[in-house]
Amino acid sequence: MNYETYLCLDQLLTAQRPLSLQNKRPAHDEWLFITVHHTYEIWFKQILIELDSILASLSSEQVEEREMDVVVARLERVNKIFHVIAGQFDILETMTPMDFLEFRDLIFQASGFQSYQFRLLENKLGLRPGDRLVYHEKPYTSDLSPKKADEVKASESAATLFDRLDAWLARTPFLAAKEFAFWDEYKKAVEVMFQHDEKFIRDNSTLSGDEKSRLVGVVHGQRQMFVDLFNERAYDEQRARGEWRLSYRAIHAAFLIQLYRDQPIFHLPFRLITEVLNLDSHLAQWRYRHALMVKRMLGMRMGSGGSVGEKYLRETTDKHKIFEDFYKLTTFFIPRSRLPKLPDEFARQLDFAFKSGR
Ligand code: HEM
């Protein structure tokens, strides 16, 4: 065993085979093009390894605190990888569009759209088939090899980070505490915030009457959405319309954890939610960065996979979000200084005593 054999360098370093060389019309930048794609795929593989381990940890009925620490650490790792790989487009952009055109015709219909690891990654995170942007009126798996298409299809109905997280949040024991009446206090504080927002709009002399009515309508809509957050039937109706995705119990847990994140028992769950938010942001940044690069390389040309190119990619940045609910909840946050005090008994329970039952 040595460095070369341990890392299988022979296989790794002979996998870059520029078609332009084989076709006797060498295009120097094709080396870079292949290297950058390979490094992405290797990082996607690492992300999938981390995700699988996270899903396995979250699959048990009762996840130990120690295990949650590992889950958060691995999510952090995934985020660091995403952060670094988004920067790799900088390297690819040292290739000019004309240098790309030197070999683009040789790639023919090969496209990142057929990256099965990227599809697995999206599915394991929780991107649902019905939420996908319809592309070329074909299933997103249609250009994969039958074996890879089966693997990707199977991942649609397998465990996802979203579902595991939802189940874990919904199981949090503090939701059952009878001191939960403190939500009523919180509702009053939020109502004050909405009244303040409405007054701010009505007193704004730079807005026309129509603009004021429209903006006040938006505030009223948000107020109703907040009220419905505490009415299971109304919430489930909103959920059925696609306005929320988290289950009724999970959304309350996510809310409480973020509001009272200073409570010792919420420290780890708060970090978990933060990492999940980061994950959605990183993926969106990756998508947007890729779309910008594609615009630079192709202008208005079609993609080699047959899409409308940059426009399709830009739209996925917005549409293919997974953990949007955690962002939406922010609408109902209030300044920390106005947070209602937790009832003493409840606060005592949250002070790491919950588990031991002290
Ligand atoms: C010159 C460089 C690149 C160009 C011009 C380009 C172009 C495109 C285009 C136009 C699409 C849309 C599908 C299609 O019609 O083909 C696409 C999708 C995709 N590309 Fe790239 N790409 C480039 C580099 C990369 C790199 C380095 C990666 C890294 C793995 C990548 C990964 C992907 C993925 C995963 C998709 C599917 C995105 C989705 O459906 O949401 N691309 N690319």
Side-chain angles (χ1 to χ4, degrees):
M1 175 69 65
N2 66 12
Y3 183 83
E4 185 186 325
T5 51
Y6 175 65
L7 295 174
C8 306
L9 288 186
D10 255 0
Q11 279 137 290
L12 186 69
L13 300 179
T14 50
Q16 296 75 40
R17 296 177 208 138
L19 280 175
S20 61
L21 278 189
Q22 292 167 40
N23 283 271
K24 307 213 181 324
R25 35 174 275 208
H28 174 82
D29 284 11
E30 197 186 349
W31 285 109
L32 179 74
F33 185 78
I34 296 175
T35 301
V36 171
H37 278 85
H38 275 170
T39 48
Y40 269 113
E41 289 294 338
I42 292 175
W43 280 125
F44 289 162
K45 179 171 178 179
Q46 186 62 37
I47 293 174
L48 288 170
I49 291 169
E50 303 299 345
L51 274 182
D52 282 342
S53 81
I54 291 168
L55 291 175
S57 293
L58 291 178
S59 66
S60 55
E61 266 299 302
Q62 205 177 355
V63 189
E64 287 298 322
E65 199 79 10
R66 216 174 315 115
E67 213 166 336
M68 279 315 285
D69 202 42
V70 176
V71 165
V72 173
R74 293 198 176 150
L75 273 178
E76 239 173 276
R77 179 180 291 166
V78 169
N79 277 319
K80 295 250 190 258
I81 296 174
F82 264 123
H83 177 70
V84 165
I85 63 176
Q88 285 186 189
F89 288 121
D90 288 346
I91 307 175
L92 196 52
E93 278 176 349
T94 62
M95 171 178 82
T96 67
M98 286 168 86
D99 289 327
F100 179 42
L101 289 175
E102 288 293 345
F103 62 90
R104 185 177 185 233
D105 59 326
L106 298 172
I107 296 169
F108 195 48
Q109 285 175 348
S111 160
F113 193 79
Q114 299 139 12
S115 166
Y116 67 91
Q117 290 205 107
F118 190 74
R119 299 304 175 211
L120 284 176
L121 193 157
E122 291 178 319
N123 288 351
K124 281 174 195 267
L125 287 178
L127 182 64
R128 296 170 293 193
D131 291 341
R132 283 186 182 277
L133 205 65
V134 178
Y135 160 89
H136 221 241
E137 289 170 16
K138 287 191 300 192
Y140 71 103
T141 50
S142 60
D143 290 333
L144 302 180
S145 67
K147 188 163 164 267
K148 297 303 177 198
D150 285 350
E151 199 183 329
V152 171
K153 277 267 163 218
S155 70
E156 285 178 2
S157 46
T160 71
L161 181 61
F162 184 94
D163 292 340
R164 290 281 188 253
L165 189 63
D166 185 290
W168 180 77
L169 285 169
R171 281 197 306 265
T172 41
F174 45 80
L175 286 179
K178 58 178 181 301
E179 291 80 3
F180 245 61
F182 89 88
W183 278 125
D184 294 336
E185 289 302 307
Y186 189 75
K187 282 185 216 169
K188 281 184 213 153
V190 174
E191 182 53 29
V192 170
M193 180 189 76
F194 282 134
Q195 279 166 7
H196 179 267
D197 284 359
E198 190 171 334
K199 186 171 178 320
F200 183 75
I201 294 164
R202 292 198 190 283
D203 293 350
N204 190 332
S205 56
T206 63
L207 294 173
S208 69
D210 282 354
E211 281 168 328
K212 284 183 185 178
S213 310
R214 188 181 62 79
L215 291 172
V216 166
V218 171
V219 173
H220 286 178
Q222 289 169 353
R223 180 188 280 151
Q224 190 55 47
M225 206 169 177
F226 179 69
V227 170
D228 290 350
L229 212 55
F230 299 93
N231 174 333
E232 191 161 2
R233 205 166 54 89
Y235 179 82
D236 283 343
E237 277 169 18
Q238 289 191 12
R239 202 170 164 225
R241 289 198 299 270
E243 287 163 30
W244 294 104
R245 189 168 166 192
L246 285 168
S247 64
Y248 188 65
R249 280 179 64 85
I251 200 123
H252 286 182
F255 207 177
L256 197 64
I257 289 165
Q258 292 185 87
L259 293 180
Y260 292 95
R261 63 165 207 237
D262 290 343
Q263 295 294 325
I265 204 153
F266 289 157
H267 287 180
L268 202 53
F270 178 72
R271 279 181 52 214
L272 178 65
I273 290 178
T274 306
E275 288 307 326
V276 159
L277 280 167
N278 290 343
L279 202 54
D280 236 16
S281 292
H282 278 130
L283 197 52
Q285 282 169 40
W286 187 91
R287 290 183 194 280
Y288 190 59
R289 192 66 188 77
H290 173 255
L292 280 182
M293 185 210 54
V294 169
K295 189 172 169 182
R296 187 173 178 153
M297 294 292 170
L298 298 181
M300 292 177 296
R301 280 189 169 93
M302 273 175 64
S304 47
S307 82
V308 283
E310 182 262 341
K311 185 172 174 292
Y312 158 79
L313 295 166
R314 206 169 6 93
E315 284 173 10
T316 61
T317 308
D318 255 350
K319 182 135 171 56
H320 290 180
K321 299 245 179 75
I322 298 162
F323 301 100
E324 192 73 350
D325 282 6
F326 293 100
Y327 287 89
K328 275 162 76 179
L329 267 185
T330 311
T331 321
F332 312 118
F333 285 0
I334 55 172
R336 191 186 293 276
S337 55
R338 289 193 216 145
L339 267 182
K341 191 175 168 305
L342 288 172
D344 288 345
E345 174 60 11
F346 188 37
R348 196 186 64 77
Q349 286 179 349
L350 295 182
D351 199 8
F352 268 131
F354 211 97
K355 236 172 137 195
S356 63
R358 266 190 287 132

